[in-house]
């Protein structure tokens, strides 16, 4: 659960995922004007937490929002940033929760992304310290640093505020894993659309798009794919130009690009933007490829702000550190840790069958060189996958989100899991509202097809946070 900026309305990684992980955009969005704060702060982070001999450090960016903080003993909400530049603390539902609980909100930029890169060149060798394991230690070290800094400002020592951790998508997985690996440092965590299961061949992703689309839209998308594959063999360059994607020389990159365009409509709560014109075009006997091209150019590349180069392997091979580095960085994590290869199912697929396992493995080799392979089994053994043996972790998912099949969807007393069910409930609905892009201030749910479904899950979240913070405070601890 991968990563990217759009001047118009959002930041893009996700990044995707808001990107991740990915549709190459697991979790890549944050509303440009909807921040609680954008004031940058810095501290020195350890480069390699697993070496007792390497003492190198790098500057890591973070933010704090204290408007609702009830000094001196109020809770501290740690909002995890993920596979994109972290340009501030976005004004989603966490701001409502902070006000309700009198909490400070702090947010740490993920190592390597944005302005928190240890190196000026992103060669494969230099990326060896980019992993979820290193990122979790970053969060632990930062949490200790911030608590000690707060104590110093308040002229006190050995005092622990109660902490609670939040994340959406890949940061949602980090939130769950942080509570799993560092239970003494937080009272609990909210893991929204948390992709905790590394998946090698993620066929369920495409299958969920079919379910979310419904029979008519699904049939139209499948017909588009068939027509595109036919046209690609006859005049590929003209077809790619129709979609404003002529730079994608590798046909499978182009087909992945087209598949992701459909994904975004369902992942981020705008299904009708895609399905209504396609269904209407089919009923009218209009050219479905033209109708889909209009959607891709107007929405995917236009208002949503995706760059075609995100899908260009030549771009991904660039080792230069710049504003577009997130694409290469997230693919490194995909190619080494989590895979999430969104391959076409053998039957009834929406995406092209050419988007297969070999395509992904060839991409990893082409972009990063020999010997790069996703250690999916190792990742799931280390964290537990959907069998994660944690406690005081809330899992939430949107019913239409394809990423929910890499999350924990079964509930238990110690780890409750909730599905927010509605027509446009996608990635991170519990914190982002509807649609999930562009971001609704304070995660407003009024545009969800069933606001009550969102409110019901949010009340459950509030109840759990209230209980777990109270238990911490009763023991005078920051965790339990």
């Amino acid at each position: 659960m991968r990563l990217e900026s759009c001047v118009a309305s959002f930041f893009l990684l996700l990044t995707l995922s808001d990107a991740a992980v990915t549709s190459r955009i697991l979790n890549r969005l944050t509303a440009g004007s909807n921040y609680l704060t954008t004031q940058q702060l810095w501290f020195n982070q350890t480069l390699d937490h697993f070496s007792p001999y390497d003492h190198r450090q790098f500057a890591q960016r973070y933010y704090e929002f204290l408007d609702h903080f009830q000094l001196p003993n109020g809770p501290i909400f740690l909002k995890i940033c993920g596979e994109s530049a972290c340009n501030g603390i976005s004004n989603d539902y966490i701001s409502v929760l902070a006000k309700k609980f009198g909490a400070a909100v702090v947010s740490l930029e993920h190592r390597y992304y944005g302005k928190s890169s240890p190196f000026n060149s992103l060669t494969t060798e230099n990326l060896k310290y980019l992993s979820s394991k290193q990122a979790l230690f970053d969060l632990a070290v930062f949490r200790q640093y911030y608590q000690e800094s707060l104590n110093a400002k308040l002229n006190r020592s050995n005092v622990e505020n109660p902490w609670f951790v939040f994340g959406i998508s890949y940061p949602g997985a980090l939130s769950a894993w942080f509570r799993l690996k560092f239970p003494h440092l937080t009272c609990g965590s909210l893991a929204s659309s948390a992709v905790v299961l590394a998946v090698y061949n993620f066929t369920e992703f495409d299958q969920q798009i079919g379910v979310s689309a419904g029979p008519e839209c699904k049939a139209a998308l499948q017909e588009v794919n068939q027509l595109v594959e036919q046209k690609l063999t006859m005049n590929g360059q003209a077809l790619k130009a129709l979609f404003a994607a002529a730079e994608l020389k590798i046909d499978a990159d182009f087909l992945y690009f087209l598949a992701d365009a459909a994904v975004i409509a369902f992942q981020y709560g705008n299904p009708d933007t895609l399905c209504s014109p396609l269904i209407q075009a089919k009923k009218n006997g209009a050219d479905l490829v033209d109708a889909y091209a209009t959607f891709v150019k107007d929405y995917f590349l236009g208002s949503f702000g995706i760059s075609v180069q995100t899908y260009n392997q030549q771009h991904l091979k660039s080792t230069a550190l710049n504003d577009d580095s997130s694409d290469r960085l997230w693919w490194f994590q995909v190619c080494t840790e989590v895979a999430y290869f969104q391959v076409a199912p053998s039957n009834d697929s929406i995406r092209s069958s050419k988007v297969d396992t070999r395509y992904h493995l060839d991409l990893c080799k082409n972009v990063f060189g020999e010997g790069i392979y996703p250690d999916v089994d190792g990742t799931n053994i280390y964290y537990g996958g959907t069998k994660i043996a944690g406690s005081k972790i809330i899992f939430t998912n949107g019913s239409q989100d394809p990423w929910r099949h890499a999350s924990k969807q079964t509930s238990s007393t110690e780890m409750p899991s909730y599905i927010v069910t509605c027509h446009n409930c996608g990635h991170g609905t519990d914190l982002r509202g509807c649609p999930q892009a562009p971001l609704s201030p304070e995660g407003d749910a009024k545009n969800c097809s069933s606001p009550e479904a969102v409110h019901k899950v949010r009340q459950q979240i509030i109840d759990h946070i209230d209980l777990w913070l109270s238990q911490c405070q009763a023991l005078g601890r920051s965790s339990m």
Side-chain angles (χ1 to χ4, degrees), residues 207-214 217 266 271 275 399-402 404 423:
Q207 291 165 346
Q208 180 62 53
I209 295 302
V211 173
S212 298
C217 188
F266 303 105
C275 289
S399 60
Q400 308 306 96
D401 183 16
R404 71 185 180 95
H423 175 65

Side-chain angles (χ1 to χ4, degrees), residues 164-342:
F164 208 94
V165 185
F166 297 80
I168 304 173
S169 194
Y170 166 58
L174 291 176
S175 178
W177 296 337
F178 186 82
R179 171 65 192 178
L180 173 71
K181 297 299 183 180
F182 300 99
H184 57 293
L185 297 182
T186 178
C187 300
S189 80
L190 174 62
S192 176
S193 297
V195 286
V196 292
L197 178 67
V199 188
Y200 188 63
N201 285 325
F202 197 5
T203 54
E204 295 90 346
F205 191 92
D206 189 81
Q207 291 165 346
Q208 180 62 53
I209 295 302
V211 173
S212 298
E216 281 189 292
C217 188
K218 176 183 177 181
L221 286 168
Q222 289 176 321
E223 188 172 342
V224 166
N225 181 60
Q226 292 168 2
L227 293 170
V228 163
E229 289 187 335
Q230 292 170 12
K231 290 175 181 287
L232 198 56
T233 61
M234 294 184 290
N235 192 343
Q237 277 307 106
L239 178 66
K240 291 174 183 177
L242 176 65
F243 285 89
E247 70 178 77
L248 300 179
K249 304 305 181 186
I250 300 173
D251 287 350
D253 286 349
F254 174 66
L255 293 168
Y256 199 133
F257 162 74
L258 295 186
D260 251 10
V263 166
I264 289 309
F266 303 105
Q267 181 172 327
Y268 290 118
N270 289 292
D272 296 338
T273 304
L274 167 65
C275 289
S276 294
L278 274 188
I279 292 171
Q280 192 60 48
K282 188 170 177 61
K283 287 180 178 177
N284 294 342
D287 190 312
L288 279 179
V289 175
D290 284 345
Y292 192 59
T294 298
F295 160 77
V296 169
K297 289 182 287 188
D298 290 352
Y299 178 73
F300 191 50
L301 301 179
S303 59
F304 196 82
I306 289 295
S307 172
V308 175
Q309 73 170 2
T310 298
Y311 298 84
N312 189 335
Q313 290 188 41
Q314 282 303 115
H315 161 65
L316 296 177
K317 292 172 74 171
S318 172
T319 60
L321 180 63
N322 54 46
D323 291 342
D324 299 316
S325 297
S326 297
D327 300 324
R328 175 175 173 82
L329 295 171
W330 178 242
W331 268 106
F332 181 79
Q333 292 192 256
V334 166
C335 291
T336 56
E337 280 194 288
V338 291
Y340 303 126
F341 291 165
Q342 289 141 45

